[in-house]
PDB file of all heavy atoms in Angstrom:
ATOM      1  N   LEU A   1       0.836  -1.248   0.048  1.00  0.00           N
ATOM      2  CA  LEU A   1       0.017  -0.025   0.008  1.00  0.00           C
ATOM      3  C   LEU A   1       0.851   1.277   0.031  1.00  0.00           C
ATOM      4  O   LEU A   1       0.397   2.266   0.467  1.00  0.00           O
ATOM      5  CB  LEU A   1      -0.902  -0.056   1.250  1.00  0.00           C
ATOM      6  CG  LEU A   1      -2.120  -0.985   1.125  1.00  0.00           C
ATOM      7  CD1 LEU A   1      -2.549  -1.459   2.523  1.00  0.00           C
ATOM      8  CD2 LEU A   1      -3.260  -0.369   0.362  1.00  0.00           C
ATOM      9  N   GLN A   2       2.087   1.185  -0.520  1.00  0.00           N
ATOM     10  CA  GLN A   2       2.885   2.305  -0.626  1.00  0.00           C
ATOM     11  C   GLN A   2       2.293   3.418  -1.329  1.00  0.00           C
ATOM     12  O   GLN A   2       1.752   3.267  -2.466  1.00  0.00           O
ATOM     13  CB  GLN A   2       4.223   1.990  -1.259  1.00  0.00           C
ATOM     14  CG  GLN A   2       5.204   1.010  -0.424  1.00  0.00           C
ATOM     15  CD  GLN A   2       6.443   0.762  -1.094  1.00  0.00           C
ATOM     16  OE1 GLN A   2       7.439   1.639  -1.074  1.00  0.00           O
ATOM     17  NE2 GLN A   2       6.670  -0.373  -1.818  1.00  0.00           N
ATOM     18  N   ASN A   3       2.394   4.759  -0.868  1.00  0.00           N
ATOM     19  CA  ASN A   3       1.862   5.862  -1.529  1.00  0.00           C
ATOM     20  C   ASN A   3       0.410   5.829  -1.796  1.00  0.00           C
ATOM     21  O   ASN A   3      -0.149   6.651  -2.568  1.00  0.00           O
ATOM     22  CB  ASN A   3       2.572   6.162  -2.846  1.00  0.00           C
ATOM     23  CG  ASN A   3       4.175   6.370  -2.579  1.00  0.00           C
ATOM     24  OD1 ASN A   3       4.504   7.434  -1.968  1.00  0.00           O
ATOM     25  ND2 ASN A   3       4.957   5.625  -3.094  1.00  0.00           N
ATOM     26  N   ALA A   4      -0.336   5.025  -1.221  1.00  0.00           N
ATOM     27  CA  ALA A   4      -1.781   4.842  -1.433  1.00  0.00           C
ATOM     28  C   ALA A   4      -2.460   5.973  -0.586  1.00  0.00           C
ATOM     29  O   ALA A   4      -2.034   6.406   0.554  1.00  0.00           O
ATOM     30  CB  ALA A   4      -2.300   3.472  -1.050  1.00  0.00           C
ATOM     31  N   ASN A   5      -3.637   6.346  -1.024  1.00  0.00           N
ATOM     32  CA  ASN A   5      -4.386   7.358  -0.296  1.00  0.00           C
ATOM     33  C   ASN A   5      -5.576   6.596   0.324  1.00  0.00           C
ATOM     34  O   ASN A   5      -6.543   6.177  -0.282  1.00  0.00           O
ATOM     35  CB  ASN A   5      -5.018   8.519  -1.274  1.00  0.00           C
ATOM     36  CG  ASN A   5      -5.738   9.479  -0.561  1.00  0.00           C
ATOM     37  OD1 ASN A   5      -6.099   9.452   0.712  1.00  0.00           O
ATOM     38  ND2 ASN A   5      -6.088  10.508  -1.192  1.00  0.00           N
ATOM     39  N   ILE A   6      -5.502   6.371   1.643  1.00  0.00           N
ATOM     40  CA  ILE A   6      -6.441   5.606   2.308  1.00  0.00           C
ATOM     41  C   ILE A   6      -7.242   6.404   3.205  1.00  0.00           C
ATOM     42  O   ILE A   6      -7.887   6.009   4.292  1.00  0.00           O
ATOM     43  CB  ILE A   6      -5.675   4.515   3.133  1.00  0.00           C
ATOM     44  CG1 ILE A   6      -4.663   3.730   2.176  1.00  0.00           C
ATOM     45  CG2 ILE A   6      -6.682   3.409   3.742  1.00  0.00           C
ATOM     46  CD1 ILE A   6      -3.696   2.867   2.967  1.00  0.00           C
ATOM     47  N   THR A   7      -7.439   7.769   2.947  1.00  0.00           N
ATOM     48  CA  THR A   7      -8.089   8.664   3.765  1.00  0.00           C
ATOM     49  C   THR A   7      -9.606   8.230   4.049  1.00  0.00           C
ATOM     50  O   THR A   7     -10.255   7.802   3.265  1.00  0.00           O
ATOM     51  CB  THR A   7      -8.207  10.095   3.101  1.00  0.00           C
ATOM     52  OG1 THR A   7      -6.909  10.511   2.905  1.00  0.00           O
ATOM     53  CG2 THR A   7      -8.924  11.055   3.919  1.00  0.00           C
ATOM     54  N   ASN A   8      -9.836   8.232   5.317  1.00  0.00           N
ATOM     55  CA  ASN A   8     -11.245   7.868   5.810  1.00  0.00           C
ATOM     56  C   ASN A   8     -11.754   6.524   5.423  1.00  0.00           C
ATOM     57  O   ASN A   8     -12.954   6.219   5.461  1.00  0.00           O
ATOM     58  CB  ASN A   8     -12.251   8.928   5.183  1.00  0.00           C
ATOM     59  CG  ASN A   8     -13.509   9.180   6.012  1.00  0.00           C
ATOM     60  OD1 ASN A   8     -13.385   9.390   7.297  1.00  0.00           O
ATOM     61  ND2 ASN A   8     -14.601   9.195   5.407  1.00  0.00           N
ATOM     62  N   ALA A   9     -10.753   5.652   5.133  1.00  0.00           N
ATOM     63  CA  ALA A   9     -11.241   4.198   4.867  1.00  0.00           C
ATOM     64  C   ALA A   9     -11.618   3.462   6.100  1.00  0.00           C
ATOM     65  O   ALA A   9     -11.091   3.756   7.174  1.00  0.00           O
ATOM     66  CB  ALA A   9     -10.088   3.502   4.137  1.00  0.00           C
ATOM     67  N   ASN A  10     -12.470   2.472   5.958  1.00  0.00           N
ATOM     68  CA  ASN A  10     -12.818   1.609   7.053  1.00  0.00           C
ATOM     69  C   ASN A  10     -12.100   0.222   6.954  1.00  0.00           C
ATOM     70  O   ASN A  10     -12.289  -0.547   6.004  1.00  0.00           O
ATOM     71  CB  ASN A  10     -14.364   1.315   7.038  1.00  0.00           C
ATOM     72  CG  ASN A  10     -14.817   0.489   8.095  1.00  0.00           C
ATOM     73  OD1 ASN A  10     -14.064   0.001   9.025  1.00  0.00           O
ATOM     74  ND2 ASN A  10     -16.153  -0.032   8.052  1.00  0.00           N
ATOM     75  N   LEU A  11     -11.205   0.061   7.893  1.00  0.00           N
ATOM     76  CA  LEU A  11     -10.442  -1.252   8.033  1.00  0.00           C
ATOM     77  C   LEU A  11     -10.647  -1.908   9.349  1.00  0.00           C
ATOM     78  O   LEU A  11      -9.785  -2.627   9.877  1.00  0.00           O
ATOM     79  CB  LEU A  11      -8.923  -0.976   7.716  1.00  0.00           C
ATOM     80  CG  LEU A  11      -8.620  -0.354   6.384  1.00  0.00           C
ATOM     81  CD1 LEU A  11      -8.250   1.123   6.482  1.00  0.00           C
ATOM     82  CD2 LEU A  11      -7.586  -1.161   5.574  1.00  0.00           C
ATOM     83  N   VAL A  12     -11.770  -1.761   9.959  1.00  0.00           N
ATOM     84  CA  VAL A  12     -12.138  -2.309  11.198  1.00  0.00           C
ATOM     85  C   VAL A  12     -11.982  -3.861  11.025  1.00  0.00           C
ATOM     86  O   VAL A  12     -12.551  -4.576  10.144  1.00  0.00           O
ATOM     87  CB  VAL A  12     -13.557  -1.988  11.507  1.00  0.00           C
ATOM     88  CG1 VAL A  12     -13.958  -2.725  12.800  1.00  0.00           C
ATOM     89  CG2 VAL A  12     -13.630  -0.574  11.889  1.00  0.00           C
ATOM     90  N   LYS A  13     -11.227  -4.493  11.982  1.00  0.00           N
ATOM     91  CA  LYS A  13     -11.065  -5.875  12.170  1.00  0.00           C
ATOM     92  C   LYS A  13     -10.415  -6.581  10.889  1.00  0.00           C
ATOM     93  O   LYS A  13     -10.490  -7.778  10.773  1.00  0.00           O
ATOM     94  CB  LYS A  13     -12.366  -6.662  12.488  1.00  0.00           C
ATOM     95  CG  LYS A  13     -12.981  -6.218  13.847  1.00  0.00           C
ATOM     96  CD  LYS A  13     -14.311  -6.965  14.165  1.00  0.00           C
ATOM     97  CE  LYS A  13     -14.780  -6.524  15.584  1.00  0.00           C
ATOM     98  NZ  LYS A  13     -16.073  -7.284  15.806  1.00  0.00           N
ATOM     99  N   ALA A  14      -9.731  -5.773  10.058  1.00  0.00           N
ATOM    100  CA  ALA A  14      -9.094  -6.316   8.895  1.00  0.00           C
ATOM    101  C   ALA A  14      -7.739  -6.978   9.332  1.00  0.00           C
ATOM    102  O   ALA A  14      -7.139  -6.446  10.393  1.00  0.00           O
ATOM    103  CB  ALA A  14      -8.868  -5.290   7.838  1.00  0.00           C
ATOM    104  N   ASN A  15      -7.225  -7.866   8.603  1.00  0.00           N
ATOM    105  CA  ASN A  15      -5.949  -8.491   8.845  1.00  0.00           C
ATOM    106  C   ASN A  15      -5.032  -7.994   7.869  1.00  0.00           C
ATOM    107  O   ASN A  15      -5.045  -8.246   6.622  1.00  0.00           O
ATOM    108  CB  ASN A  15      -6.102 -10.022   8.783  1.00  0.00           C
ATOM    109  CG  ASN A  15      -4.696 -10.663   9.265  1.00  0.00           C
ATOM    110  OD1 ASN A  15      -3.667  -9.976   9.245  1.00  0.00           O
ATOM    111  ND2 ASN A  15      -4.713 -11.868   9.682  1.00  0.00           N
ATOM    112  N   LEU A  16      -4.091  -7.038   8.315  1.00  0.00           N
ATOM    113  CA  LEU A  16      -3.071  -6.415   7.442  1.00  0.00           C
ATOM    114  C   LEU A  16      -1.657  -6.674   7.873  1.00  0.00           C
ATOM    115  O   LEU A  16      -0.708  -5.834   7.633  1.00  0.00           O
ATOM    116  CB  LEU A  16      -3.434  -4.917   7.458  1.00  0.00           C
ATOM    117  CG  LEU A  16      -4.598  -4.467   6.866  1.00  0.00           C
ATOM    118  CD1 LEU A  16      -5.467  -3.576   7.931  1.00  0.00           C
ATOM    119  CD2 LEU A  16      -4.502  -3.639   5.588  1.00  0.00           C
ATOM    120  N   SER A  17      -1.437  -7.805   8.529  1.00  0.00           N
ATOM    121  CA  SER A  17      -0.064  -8.124   8.914  1.00  0.00           C
ATOM    122  C   SER A  17       0.923  -8.167   7.847  1.00  0.00           C
ATOM    123  O   SER A  17       0.601  -8.543   6.730  1.00  0.00           O
ATOM    124  CB  SER A  17      -0.103  -9.540   9.734  1.00  0.00           C
ATOM    125  OG  SER A  17      -0.556 -10.462   8.853  1.00  0.00           O
ATOM    126  N   GLN A  18       2.094  -7.688   8.077  1.00  0.00           N
ATOM    127  CA  GLN A  18       3.234  -7.645   7.137  1.00  0.00           C
ATOM    128  C   GLN A  18       2.905  -6.848   5.932  1.00  0.00           C
ATOM    129  O   GLN A  18       3.498  -7.158   4.812  1.00  0.00           O
ATOM    130  CB  GLN A  18       3.606  -9.042   6.790  1.00  0.00           C
ATOM    131  CG  GLN A  18       4.113  -9.904   8.044  1.00  0.00           C
ATOM    132  CD  GLN A  18       4.553 -11.293   7.650  1.00  0.00           C
ATOM    133  OE1 GLN A  18       3.755 -12.152   7.081  1.00  0.00           O
ATOM    134  NE2 GLN A  18       5.776 -11.612   7.877  1.00  0.00           N
ATOM    135  N   SER A  19       2.094  -5.751   5.993  1.00  0.00           N
ATOM    136  CA  SER A  19       1.773  -5.062   4.888  1.00  0.00           C
ATOM    137  C   SER A  19       2.696  -3.785   4.920  1.00  0.00           C
ATOM    138  O   SER A  19       3.144  -3.387   5.959  1.00  0.00           O
ATOM    139  CB  SER A  19       0.301  -4.561   4.891  1.00  0.00           C
ATOM    140  OG  SER A  19      -0.458  -5.719   4.502  1.00  0.00           O
ATOM    141  N   ASN A  20       2.716  -3.037   3.749  1.00  0.00           N
ATOM    142  CA  ASN A  20       3.604  -1.916   3.586  1.00  0.00           C
ATOM    143  C   ASN A  20       2.773  -0.639   3.361  1.00  0.00           C
ATOM    144  O   ASN A  20       2.183  -0.554   2.230  1.00  0.00           O
ATOM    145  CB  ASN A  20       4.568  -2.232   2.440  1.00  0.00           C
ATOM    146  CG  ASN A  20       5.695  -1.128   2.285  1.00  0.00           C
ATOM    147  OD1 ASN A  20       5.523   0.016   3.015  1.00  0.00           O
ATOM    148  ND2 ASN A  20       6.670  -1.370   1.460  1.00  0.00           N
ATOM    149  N   PHE A  21       2.681   0.213   4.314  1.00  0.00           N
ATOM    150  CA  PHE A  21       1.988   1.512   4.246  1.00  0.00           C
ATOM    151  C   PHE A  21       3.028   2.640   4.135  1.00  0.00           C
ATOM    152  O   PHE A  21       2.680   3.880   4.317  1.00  0.00           O
ATOM    153  CB  PHE A  21       1.221   1.738   5.500  1.00  0.00           C
ATOM    154  CG  PHE A  21      -0.007   0.720   5.693  1.00  0.00           C
ATOM    155  CD1 PHE A  21       0.319  -0.403   6.427  1.00  0.00           C
ATOM    156  CD2 PHE A  21      -1.193   0.997   5.198  1.00  0.00           C
ATOM    157  CE1 PHE A  21      -0.715  -1.361   6.693  1.00  0.00           C
ATOM    158  CE2 PHE A  21      -2.181   0.083   5.425  1.00  0.00           C
ATOM    159  CZ  PHE A  21      -1.900  -1.019   6.141  1.00  0.00           C
ATOM    160  N   SER A  22       4.208   2.399   3.744  1.00  0.00           N
ATOM    161  CA  SER A  22       5.191   3.494   3.591  1.00  0.00           C
ATOM    162  C   SER A  22       4.724   4.698   2.791  1.00  0.00           C
ATOM    163  O   SER A  22       4.323   4.542   1.679  1.00  0.00           O
ATOM    164  CB  SER A  22       6.539   3.005   3.081  1.00  0.00           C
ATOM    165  OG  SER A  22       7.055   2.034   3.922  1.00  0.00           O
ATOM    166  N   LYS A  23       4.838   5.795   3.238  1.00  0.00           N
ATOM    167  CA  LYS A  23       4.400   7.133   2.552  1.00  0.00           C
ATOM    168  C   LYS A  23       2.926   7.121   2.126  1.00  0.00           C
ATOM    169  O   LYS A  23       2.475   7.936   1.328  1.00  0.00           O
ATOM    170  CB  LYS A  23       5.296   7.326   1.318  1.00  0.00           C
ATOM    171  CG  LYS A  23       6.827   7.585   1.660  1.00  0.00           C
ATOM    172  CD  LYS A  23       7.510   7.844   0.403  1.00  0.00           C
ATOM    173  CE  LYS A  23       8.998   8.046   0.794  1.00  0.00           C
ATOM    174  NZ  LYS A  23       9.913   8.289  -0.433  1.00  0.00           N
ATOM    175  N   ALA A  24       2.141   6.218   2.654  1.00  0.00           N
ATOM    176  CA  ALA A  24       0.734   6.200   2.386  1.00  0.00           C
ATOM    177  C   ALA A  24       0.000   7.288   3.291  1.00  0.00           C
ATOM    178  O   ALA A  24       0.560   7.810   4.357  1.00  0.00           O
ATOM    179  CB  ALA A  24       0.060   4.937   2.741  1.00  0.00           C
ATOM    180  N   ILE A  25      -1.125   7.812   2.760  1.00  0.00           N
ATOM    181  CA  ILE A  25      -1.970   8.772   3.587  1.00  0.00           C
ATOM    182  C   ILE A  25      -3.090   8.004   4.242  1.00  0.00           C
ATOM    183  O   ILE A  25      -3.970   7.476   3.612  1.00  0.00           O
ATOM    184  CB  ILE A  25      -2.535   9.830   2.581  1.00  0.00           C
ATOM    185  CG1 ILE A  25      -1.449  10.669   1.810  1.00  0.00           C
ATOM    186  CG2 ILE A  25      -3.459  10.819   3.367  1.00  0.00           C
ATOM    187  CD1 ILE A  25      -1.900  11.561   0.778  1.00  0.00           C
TER     188      ILE A  25
END
């Protein structure tokens, strides 16, 4: 998810282990 725009997204109870949010919003 590098450089992704995740503004106001709903990730309740999601499994995102070992994911890459570097420089994401």
Side-chain angles (χ1 to χ4, degrees):
L1 286 151
Q2 292 182 79
N3 296 298
N5 186 348
I6 314 172
T7 301
N8 208 43
N10 177 7
L11 298 111
V12 172
K13 297 183 180 179
N15 188 339
L16 297 125
S17 60
Q18 297 181 301
S19 291
N20 189 349
F21 295 90
S22 297
K23 298 183 180 180
I25 302 173

